[in-house]
Amino acid sequence: MRQTILAVLSLSTLAALLTGCGGDIVLLNSKGPVASGQSDLMMKAIYLMLLVVIPSVIMALWFGWKYRASNKDADYKPTWAHSTAIEIVVWGIPCIIIAILAYLTWWGSHQYDPYRPLTNAQGEMEDHLKIQAVAEQFKWVFIYPEQQIATINEVRFPVNKPIEFQITSNFTMNSFFIPKLAGQVYAMAGMQTKLHMLADQPSPAEGYRGFSANYSGYGFTQMRFRAHAVSDADFNTWVEAVKAGKGTSINPEAVQKTVLDQAEFATLKDGDRSKHQIEAMVNNAHTPEEIALAHEAERKGPFPTKPHVVTYYSSVEPDLFKRIINTYMSNYHGADHAAAGHASVEHTAAVGE
């Protein structure tokens, strides 16, 4: 009995620690319709499965108590082999629960499809704010194509405004995740994925937590950003401040820069080796290839040990997001898309002449 009590207390303590000692359980405390719907689906699935788990646990304890060796009143049936009623219960109830879970999974997969645009209460599609998210090494770059601004490790959007994230990666596969607002969606080089979401109430001053949910190298733990859901007026004020080069008036801890073009974007890539690894590469480099790799590692520097500082860009090179994707698609099926683009421009100019 003492061991049982200690085991129960240990499990209870572990559960309290895992939930932050009664703190915020982010996946069950959503702030948007998408995350809220996903949380409801998860809890419904848990409740349905508990219909089997709880009775099974109770019966296991009850059977052990009833048929204990010291209970001489318990029925002793050594030749018992079959019960139709038990078979119906044991197989019928789980089959019904599995059927309900299958329906909920099918319905939820379509209802909360990240590619499905959000609609209002009347089922009408509303205007979406488009934000392009790029998983860089090791940070998140956000481009606002309509506002022509960009940010690093911070994203802002209006409350009750449907958001359409267009997501890609400029190195290995990552996963874009804001637990309070929506599920995770993968970011892959040379591809574009989408995520539709909405915040139905303003975020706290520090914003909602966002991060990479997929291991992508030593520095991936620093791929954290803040998502701020603000009023329309505050969002417009922030956009104008960033475009005017005064973004630090909204966030004093940020860094304000001018234009995010391909040259600036190329400087954002962090190193993916530790300081000791780089030193070893330099000391052991003998062939021209090894020396070149060592110099490249020195230029990039070691992987980051803290997130990149929030940075604002007052303008963005047109179609930068498409250019990032096409970098990995230039030789797809043997076609050089960049060269084809230049040829198309030259051809148009020739026709105009």
Side-chain angles (χ1 to χ4, degrees), residues 1-14:
M1 179 62 71
R2 179 178 296 177
Q3 283 115 352
T4 302
I5 295 174
L6 289 174
V8 171
L9 290 175
S10 300
L11 290 173
S12 300
T13 303
L14 179 61

Side-chain angles (χ1 to χ4, degrees), residues 20-348:
C21 296
D24 182 20
I25 305 177
V26 63
L27 293 179
L28 303 180
N29 187 18
S30 55
K31 302 300 181 182
V34 176
S36 178
Q38 293 172 340
S39 298
D40 290 342
L41 280 176
M42 181 173 63
M43 294 310 301
K44 287 177 181 177
I46 291 174
Y47 294 148
L48 283 169
M49 289 185 285
L50 287 177
L51 292 177
V52 173
V53 173
I54 292 177
S56 297
V57 172
I58 293 175
M59 285 189 293
L61 297 174
W62 180 66
F63 287 164
W65 174 258
K66 180 178 180 180
Y67 295 103
R68 66 192 186 279
S70 60
N71 185 11
K72 305 302 181 182
D73 297 328
D75 294 337
Y76 178 66
K77 298 180 180 180
T79 60
W80 181 90
H82 178 75
S83 171
T84 302
I86 292 178
E87 292 289 343
I88 292 174
V89 171
V90 168
W91 290 100
I93 293 178
C95 287
I96 294 173
I97 292 175
I98 290 172
I100 297 173
L101 286 173
Y103 170 75
L104 288 176
T105 302
W106 175 85
W107 179 83
S109 297
H110 290 80
Q111 180 69 23
Y112 301 110
D113 180 1
Y115 280 69
R116 182 175 181 265
L118 300 180
T119 57
N120 57 25
Q122 290 72 37
E124 300 171 344
M125 190 178 300
E126 299 181 356
D127 292 334
H128 288 65
L129 171 64
K130 293 183 179 180
I131 303 176
Q132 297 165 338
V134 182
E136 184 49 86
Q137 181 180 330
F138 294 96
K139 59 186 67 67
W140 288 97
V141 180
F142 299 99
I143 300 173
Y144 292 74
E146 297 166 347
Q147 289 75 22
Q148 282 298 298
I149 61 172
T151 66
I152 296 178
N153 283 353
E154 181 183 285
V155 60
R156 291 178 185 256
F157 41 80
V159 175
N160 294 320
K161 175 79 172 180
I163 311 299
E164 177 187 332
F165 279 103
Q166 299 172 348
I167 306 168
T168 191
S169 174
N170 193 40
F171 71 124
T172 62
M173 184 170 71
N174 268 270
S175 181
F176 181 79
F177 195 19
I178 307 177
K180 285 276 189 181
L181 300 177
Q184 61 174 336
V185 173
Y186 284 111
M188 295 168 281
M191 301 177 65
Q192 174 186 297
T193 53
K194 288 186 179 181
L195 172 65
H196 288 87
M197 71 175 198
L198 181 146
D200 54 17
Q201 56 184 280
S203 62
E206 68 273 13
Y208 297 132
R209 185 165 57 99
F211 54 89
S212 170
N214 191 81
Y215 181 76
S216 56
Y218 287 113
F220 96 102
T221 53
Q222 311 308 326
M223 294 187 66
R224 304 194 297 269
F225 64 92
R226 286 291 171 176
H228 297 269
V230 298
S231 65
D232 288 336
D234 288 344
F235 176 74
N236 293 331
T237 300
W238 174 75
V239 170
E240 293 302 321
V242 172
K243 295 179 74 172
K246 300 178 181 178
T248 54
S249 63
I250 306 298
N251 182 359
E253 297 180 357
V255 173
Q256 177 73 57
K257 292 189 176 182
T258 54
V259 60
L260 178 62
D261 53 14
Q262 294 186 74
E264 172 67 16
F265 188 79
T267 66
L268 298 180
K269 194 174 291 294
D270 291 315
D272 54 3
R273 295 177 173 87
S274 69
K275 179 181 178 181
H276 300 294
Q277 287 176 317
I278 295 174
E279 291 175 351
M281 289 180 66
V282 173
N283 295 332
N284 298 325
H286 302 294
T287 66
E289 292 79 8
E290 291 175 342
I291 294 173
L293 287 174
H295 287 167
E296 179 65 15
E298 279 188 310
R299 184 187 65 80
K300 290 182 178 178
F303 59 79
T305 56
K306 59 181 180 180
H308 189 281
V309 64
V310 173
T311 306
Y312 299 144
Y313 290 93
S314 56
S315 63
V316 182
E317 178 182 317
D319 294 329
L320 178 61
F321 185 76
K322 292 182 180 179
R323 293 176 185 272
I324 295 170
I325 295 176
N326 288 339
T327 300
Y328 299 89
M329 302 295 289
S330 60
N331 293 318
Y332 184 61
H333 290 314
D336 190 337
H337 291 266
H342 291 304
S344 175
V345 171
E346 292 174 0
H347 174 72
T348 304

